[in-house]
Each structure stands twice: as structure tokens, then as C-alpha cells.
Amino acid sequence: MNQPMTITRNDFNQWMVPVFAPANFILVRGEGSRVWDQQGKEYIDFAGGIAVNALGHAHPVAIQALTEQAQKLWHIGNGYTNEPVLRLAKQLTDSTFAEKVFFANSGAEANEAALKLARKYGNDSGVEGKNQIVAFNNAFHGRTLFTVTAGGQPKYSQDFAPLPEGIQHVAYNDLNAAAAVINDQTCAVIVEPIQGEGGVLPADVEFLKGLRELCDRHNALLIFDEVQTGVGRTGALYAYMNTDVVPDVLTTAKALGGGFPIGAMLTTDALAKVLTVGSHGTTYGGNPLACAVANAVFDYINSPEVLEGVKARHQQFVAGIEAINAKYPVFSQVRGEGLLIGCVLKDEYAGQAKQVTNLAAEEGLLALVAGTDVVRFTPSLIIPEADIIEGLQRFERAVARLVK
Ligand SMILES: *Cc1c(COP(=O)(O)O)cnc(C)c1O
């Protein structure tokens, strides 16, 4: 029989591969946008599990979907299809440009599928050497070797050389730089409509339009990595819907499962044909348990009330942060869309974003960084107004301590 065992934060250092440096407390329970640690201390959650917990914690709709499916069928493997996966594919294609879906378990895997599709598209095209991928500095696309190389932060990839070849990086939002490297050998351009990990930096709509034109001219696929911006995060169901630019391939994950791991690559009928039986695959992707939860989460978010609510909450956040900044001027800019918000530290506080989130945690607020200079909020899309107010009060206390 298992002995009940007392767990402490120190156990992390004892037993875990040290790729993370988690906070010095252990969370044990959550409800809505509040969570509690082992000592019973309460936190307001502006981190949202890194843009994942779109319905907060323990939402009844998600719990019901999970527990109902848990009693029916968890996993059968892709030799058999299942009802939840087909329902979810129908939901995703009905509500986006896409006509076909490939399911995976994470954002990185969704991007891996997108990049492999692009390479095969190029290799099948008959154009000699059409295998070049264009990506952007400071981008983040995941941690598999291919996706981490496509990401534009060499500190995450250089230790794992030799890296996959044929990926070029240029400055984000610099259309001339992109035009200089996109040519007939380009099979794909991969871009985040808002760079999330890279500092909550939105793309200019003209930049995205220009990339669309360059891809059309050179017969390259335009891939939008919407792993962070998707599923209502910006107040649109997907961020591309704010831009008039339609990608050829879109990747989605994070909020899609509301906390249950799932990712997906969306594309057109014509491009889906590039991948044939056996050319790509996954054991868990599209399993009934994950898809049943995503059915419920996606359906709940894809409503005018929830999406309008995200825009209203954006206003409330920005007004609150600006009021704090008027008292304690530490931020040079508040940017982002919907509930993907970045507070950019002024030069004199540069490098102290982590310090701010540490102080915030002491005050009872979970917040994120995006790089060393940006404090990031990605809360639940339905965070109650009262929790925003209370959370911002705690944030103000943290900022006051930073200034002191
Ligand atoms: C988080 C993220 C990923 C990676 O997703 P994982 O589920 O961690 O593999 C990829 N792209 C973007 C834009 C992300 O924010």
C-alpha cells in the first residue's frame, strides 16, 4: 500500500531534472481565478497556467466533459477514430478558414506538424531546393529540435547542435528584411500574430499582409503560430481574424484544452493532401479524453458573450495598470490584445520582471514574465471583475515594493 507522503518544495530539487525554477510554494487547489498553496495562502491567478486555463480552474463545464468521457473511453489509438475527435474537428473547421485538422498533444507538436507539412509541400513541388523556412528573431515555437530551431532565441537551441538546417531568421515587423530572404526556395514563413514569450509584441497588420503577399508570390505557406493567441485570447476566436490576413496553416494549443494537454494544426483541403497515410502520426493525438474536454472548452469560449467579455476585461486591465503606473512610474508601455497583456519595464527597471513577479507572489498574485523586461498577464478569459480589481491591488503593492 502507498504510504501518504509529505511533499515539500525542496523535493523538486531532489528529484526533478532542473530545467525549471518553480516558485518556492506548491499550489494544491484552484477554483475560478483563485488558487491556494499547501499552507492555505490564496493567490489571484493572472498567469492562467501560461495562457492555458482559459476557463480558470475547476470550471464545471470542463469537469463535466472530463468526467463523463472518463467513464466511457480514454484512448484507443489512431487505428480507430472516435466521436469527440470528429466533433472537435467539425467545430474547428466550422469556425475558421480551415477544412482539415491534425491533432497533437502540445503547441510544439502542432508546429512540428506544420513545419513538416511545409517541407513536404516544398519537396513535392518539383522546385529544386524549395525547403527553406523563414522565421523571426525572438519568436517562440516550442522545444522540439525543429521548433526550437525555428524559434528565434539561440540561447534555447545552440546547446543542442547540430540543428536542423534551412531556417533563416529576420527581424519581426520588418517587412523589407523578410522580403530580402523570401524567394522561390522558401517553403514556409512561420510567424506569431503576437509574439508571446518574446515580450507580448504584436505584429503590425501591414507586416502580416506583406508576408501574405510574399508567400503568394513565391508559393510558400504562411503558418500562423496561434498557440498562445488562439481560442479567444485576443478577443477574437483566433488573432488572424483581427487582421484580414488568412494563413495557410494555423497551429493552436494552450487554451484549447483549458488545462488538458492538446494541440492542433489546421489547414486547407488542398494542403492536407500533402500528408498521406503514414507520412506523419502520433500515439495520443486526438484521443477521446482530450478532445471531449476541448469540445466543451472551445464551445464555451466561442460565443459572442465570452469574446466580448475578453475585450471588456482588456480595458479594465489596461486602465488599472495605467493607474498604478501613474503612482509608481515603472512601465514605459502596456501592450498586447485582449487578455494577453505585457507591461514593459522602463529602462531603469530593465531586467527586473522576474523580481516583480516574485514580489507579486508574496502579495498573493500569480503573474508571468515575457523575457527579462516584460511582466505578462494571461488570466482566465472569464476572470471575474472583482478578481481583476483585487489582483491589481496586490500588483500595486508589489510594484510599490519594487520602487522602494
Ligand atoms: C507555448 C507556445 C508554444 C509551445 O507550446 P508547448 O505546448 O509548450 O509545446 C509554441 N508557440 C507559441 C507561440 C507558444 O506560446
PDB file of all heavy atoms in Angstrom, residues 14-29:
ATOM      1  N   GLN A  14      15.423  17.740  -5.307  1.00  0.00           N
ATOM      2  CA  GLN A  14      15.895  16.386  -5.065  1.00  0.00           C
ATOM      3  C   GLN A  14      15.676  15.462  -6.265  1.00  0.00           C
ATOM      4  O   GLN A  14      16.541  14.681  -6.619  1.00  0.00           O
ATOM      5  CB  GLN A  14      15.104  15.846  -3.872  1.00  0.00           C
ATOM      6  CG  GLN A  14      15.672  14.620  -3.228  1.00  0.00           C
ATOM      7  CD  GLN A  14      16.675  14.977  -2.142  1.00  0.00           C
ATOM      8  OE1 GLN A  14      16.560  16.021  -1.508  1.00  0.00           O
ATOM      9  NE2 GLN A  14      17.656  14.120  -1.965  1.00  0.00           N
ATOM     10  N   TRP A  15      14.519  15.578  -6.891  1.00  0.00           N
ATOM     11  CA  TRP A  15      14.086  14.535  -7.836  1.00  0.00           C
ATOM     12  C   TRP A  15      13.849  14.987  -9.263  1.00  0.00           C
ATOM     13  O   TRP A  15      13.609  14.161 -10.132  1.00  0.00           O
ATOM     14  CB  TRP A  15      12.774  13.890  -7.335  1.00  0.00           C
ATOM     15  CG  TRP A  15      12.906  13.230  -6.009  1.00  0.00           C
ATOM     16  CD1 TRP A  15      13.971  12.507  -5.541  1.00  0.00           C
ATOM     17  CD2 TRP A  15      11.947  13.247  -4.961  1.00  0.00           C
ATOM     18  NE1 TRP A  15      13.731  12.070  -4.272  1.00  0.00           N
ATOM     19  CE2 TRP A  15      12.492  12.511  -3.892  1.00  0.00           C
ATOM     20  CE3 TRP A  15      10.675  13.803  -4.821  1.00  0.00           C
ATOM     21  CZ2 TRP A  15      11.799  12.320  -2.689  1.00  0.00           C
ATOM     22  CZ3 TRP A  15       9.989  13.610  -3.643  1.00  0.00           C
ATOM     23  CH2 TRP A  15      10.565  12.873  -2.583  1.00  0.00           C
ATOM     24  N   MET A  16      13.840  16.293  -9.495  1.00  0.00           N
ATOM     25  CA  MET A  16      13.424  16.765 -10.823  1.00  0.00           C
ATOM     26  C   MET A  16      14.615  17.239 -11.641  1.00  0.00           C
ATOM     27  O   MET A  16      15.508  17.914 -11.127  1.00  0.00           O
ATOM     28  CB  MET A  16      12.427  17.923 -10.674  1.00  0.00           C
ATOM     29  CG  MET A  16      11.139  17.543  -9.960  1.00  0.00           C
ATOM     30  SD  MET A  16      10.068  16.493 -10.961  1.00  0.00           S
ATOM     31  CE  MET A  16       9.357  17.746 -12.029  1.00  0.00           C
ATOM     32  N   VAL A  17      14.619  16.892 -12.930  1.00  0.00           N
ATOM     33  CA  VAL A  17      15.627  17.433 -13.842  1.00  0.00           C
ATOM     34  C   VAL A  17      15.495  18.965 -13.805  1.00  0.00           C
ATOM     35  O   VAL A  17      14.394  19.486 -13.985  1.00  0.00           O
ATOM     36  CB  VAL A  17      15.401  16.903 -15.277  1.00  0.00           C
ATOM     37  CG1 VAL A  17      16.347  17.580 -16.264  1.00  0.00           C
ATOM     38  CG2 VAL A  17      15.573  15.385 -15.310  1.00  0.00           C
ATOM     39  N   PRO A  18      16.583  19.661 -13.544  1.00  0.00           N
ATOM     40  CA  PRO A  18      16.450  21.091 -13.188  1.00  0.00           C
ATOM     41  C   PRO A  18      16.273  22.041 -14.370  1.00  0.00           C
ATOM     42  O   PRO A  18      16.977  23.036 -14.478  1.00  0.00           O
ATOM     43  CB  PRO A  18      17.748  21.367 -12.439  1.00  0.00           C
ATOM     44  CG  PRO A  18      18.723  20.407 -13.035  1.00  0.00           C
ATOM     45  CD  PRO A  18      17.953  19.178 -13.417  1.00  0.00           C
ATOM     46  N   VAL A  19      15.298  21.763 -15.246  1.00  0.00           N
ATOM     47  CA  VAL A  19      15.050  22.692 -16.350  1.00  0.00           C
ATOM     48  C   VAL A  19      14.092  23.816 -15.956  1.00  0.00           C
ATOM     49  O   VAL A  19      13.913  24.762 -16.714  1.00  0.00           O
ATOM     50  CB  VAL A  19      14.516  21.983 -17.618  1.00  0.00           C
ATOM     51  CG1 VAL A  19      15.557  21.039 -18.205  1.00  0.00           C
ATOM     52  CG2 VAL A  19      13.216  21.249 -17.339  1.00  0.00           C
ATOM     53  N   PHE A  20      13.461  23.694 -14.809  1.00  0.00           N
ATOM     54  CA  PHE A  20      12.578  24.770 -14.332  1.00  0.00           C
ATOM     55  C   PHE A  20      13.076  25.277 -12.981  1.00  0.00           C
ATOM     56  O   PHE A  20      13.765  24.563 -12.258  1.00  0.00           O
ATOM     57  CB  PHE A  20      11.138  24.264 -14.153  1.00  0.00           C
ATOM     58  CG  PHE A  20      10.534  23.680 -15.401  1.00  0.00           C
ATOM     59  CD1 PHE A  20      10.237  22.322 -15.475  1.00  0.00           C
ATOM     60  CD2 PHE A  20      10.265  24.467 -16.506  1.00  0.00           C
ATOM     61  CE1 PHE A  20       9.680  21.775 -16.630  1.00  0.00           C
ATOM     62  CE2 PHE A  20       9.707  23.928 -17.663  1.00  0.00           C
ATOM     63  CZ  PHE A  20       9.414  22.579 -17.713  1.00  0.00           C
ATOM     64  N   ALA A  21      12.671  26.502 -12.673  1.00  0.00           N
ATOM     65  CA  ALA A  21      12.943  27.064 -11.341  1.00  0.00           C
ATOM     66  C   ALA A  21      11.617  27.532 -10.762  1.00  0.00           C
ATOM     67  O   ALA A  21      11.330  28.724 -10.713  1.00  0.00           O
ATOM     68  CB  ALA A  21      13.934  28.217 -11.447  1.00  0.00           C
ATOM     69  N   PRO A  22      10.763  26.592 -10.339  1.00  0.00           N
ATOM     70  CA  PRO A  22       9.421  26.986  -9.901  1.00  0.00           C
ATOM     71  C   PRO A  22       9.449  27.822  -8.626  1.00  0.00           C
ATOM     72  O   PRO A  22      10.429  27.822  -7.884  1.00  0.00           O
ATOM     73  CB  PRO A  22       8.713  25.652  -9.656  1.00  0.00           C
ATOM     74  CG  PRO A  22       9.778  24.635  -9.491  1.00  0.00           C
ATOM     75  CD  PRO A  22      10.968  25.129 -10.250  1.00  0.00           C
ATOM     76  N   ALA A  23       8.347  28.531  -8.407  1.00  0.00           N
ATOM     77  CA  ALA A  23       8.194  29.360  -7.209  1.00  0.00           C
ATOM     78  C   ALA A  23       8.399  28.508  -5.962  1.00  0.00           C
ATOM     79  O   ALA A  23       8.322  27.276  -6.005  1.00  0.00           O
ATOM     80  CB  ALA A  23       6.799  29.987  -7.198  1.00  0.00           C
ATOM     81  N   ASN A  24       8.633  29.170  -4.842  1.00  0.00           N
ATOM     82  CA  ASN A  24       9.006  28.448  -3.612  1.00  0.00           C
ATOM     83  C   ASN A  24       7.799  27.969  -2.804  1.00  0.00           C
ATOM     84  O   ASN A  24       7.924  27.667  -1.630  1.00  0.00           O
ATOM     85  CB  ASN A  24       9.930  29.312  -2.750  1.00  0.00           C
ATOM     86  CG  ASN A  24       9.265  30.605  -2.325  1.00  0.00           C
ATOM     87  OD1 ASN A  24       8.077  30.811  -2.619  1.00  0.00           O
ATOM     88  ND2 ASN A  24      10.006  31.466  -1.667  1.00  0.00           N
ATOM     89  N   PHE A  25       6.616  27.900  -3.463  1.00  0.00           N
ATOM     90  CA  PHE A  25       5.432  27.331  -2.797  1.00  0.00           C
ATOM     91  C   PHE A  25       4.808  26.319  -3.750  1.00  0.00           C
ATOM     92  O   PHE A  25       5.109  26.313  -4.947  1.00  0.00           O
ATOM     93  CB  PHE A  25       4.426  28.435  -2.447  1.00  0.00           C
ATOM     94  CG  PHE A  25       4.119  29.379  -3.583  1.00  0.00           C
ATOM     95  CD1 PHE A  25       3.094  29.110  -4.478  1.00  0.00           C
ATOM     96  CD2 PHE A  25       4.885  30.537  -3.785  1.00  0.00           C
ATOM     97  CE1 PHE A  25       2.820  29.961  -5.536  1.00  0.00           C
ATOM     98  CE2 PHE A  25       4.616  31.395  -4.856  1.00  0.00           C
ATOM     99  CZ  PHE A  25       3.580  31.104  -5.724  1.00  0.00           C
ATOM    100  N   ILE A  26       3.965  25.457  -3.210  1.00  0.00           N
ATOM    101  CA  ILE A  26       3.321  24.425  -4.029  1.00  0.00           C
ATOM    102  C   ILE A  26       1.813  24.638  -4.002  1.00  0.00           C
ATOM    103  O   ILE A  26       1.192  24.642  -2.935  1.00  0.00           O
ATOM    104  CB  ILE A  26       3.671  23.007  -3.529  1.00  0.00           C
ATOM    105  CG1 ILE A  26       5.179  22.755  -3.701  1.00  0.00           C
ATOM    106  CG2 ILE A  26       2.859  21.952  -4.281  1.00  0.00           C
ATOM    107  CD1 ILE A  26       5.624  21.352  -3.308  1.00  0.00           C
ATOM    108  N   LEU A  27       1.238  24.827  -5.195  1.00  0.00           N
ATOM    109  CA  LEU A  27      -0.208  25.038  -5.302  1.00  0.00           C
ATOM    110  C   LEU A  27      -0.915  23.696  -5.251  1.00  0.00           C
ATOM    111  O   LEU A  27      -0.451  22.712  -5.838  1.00  0.00           O
ATOM    112  CB  LEU A  27      -0.528  25.769  -6.605  1.00  0.00           C
ATOM    113  CG  LEU A  27       0.119  27.170  -6.680  1.00  0.00           C
ATOM    114  CD1 LEU A  27       0.023  27.735  -8.088  1.00  0.00           C
ATOM    115  CD2 LEU A  27      -0.523  28.114  -5.673  1.00  0.00           C
ATOM    116  N   VAL A  28      -2.027  23.658  -4.539  1.00  0.00           N
ATOM    117  CA  VAL A  28      -2.717  22.381  -4.365  1.00  0.00           C
ATOM    118  C   VAL A  28      -4.170  22.401  -4.837  1.00  0.00           C
ATOM    119  O   VAL A  28      -4.782  21.344  -5.014  1.00  0.00           O
ATOM    120  CB  VAL A  28      -2.683  21.903  -2.896  1.00  0.00           C
ATOM    121  CG1 VAL A  28      -1.249  21.575  -2.487  1.00  0.00           C
ATOM    122  CG2 VAL A  28      -3.281  22.935  -1.946  1.00  0.00           C
ATOM    123  N   ARG A  29      -4.748  23.585  -5.048  1.00  0.00           N
ATOM    124  CA  ARG A  29      -6.170  23.638  -5.355  1.00  0.00           C
ATOM    125  C   ARG A  29      -6.481  24.943  -6.068  1.00  0.00           C
ATOM    126  O   ARG A  29      -5.835  25.966  -5.811  1.00  0.00           O
ATOM    127  CB  ARG A  29      -6.956  23.589  -4.029  1.00  0.00           C
ATOM    128  CG  ARG A  29      -8.456  23.466  -4.154  1.00  0.00           C
ATOM    129  CD  ARG A  29      -9.053  23.123  -2.780  1.00  0.00           C
ATOM    130  NE  ARG A  29      -8.963  24.221  -1.833  1.00  0.00           N
ATOM    131  CZ  ARG A  29      -9.832  25.229  -1.767  1.00  0.00           C
ATOM    132  NH1 ARG A  29     -10.844  25.286  -2.605  1.00  0.00           N
ATOM    133  NH2 ARG A  29      -9.696  26.183  -0.865  1.00  0.00           N
TER     134      ARG A  29
END
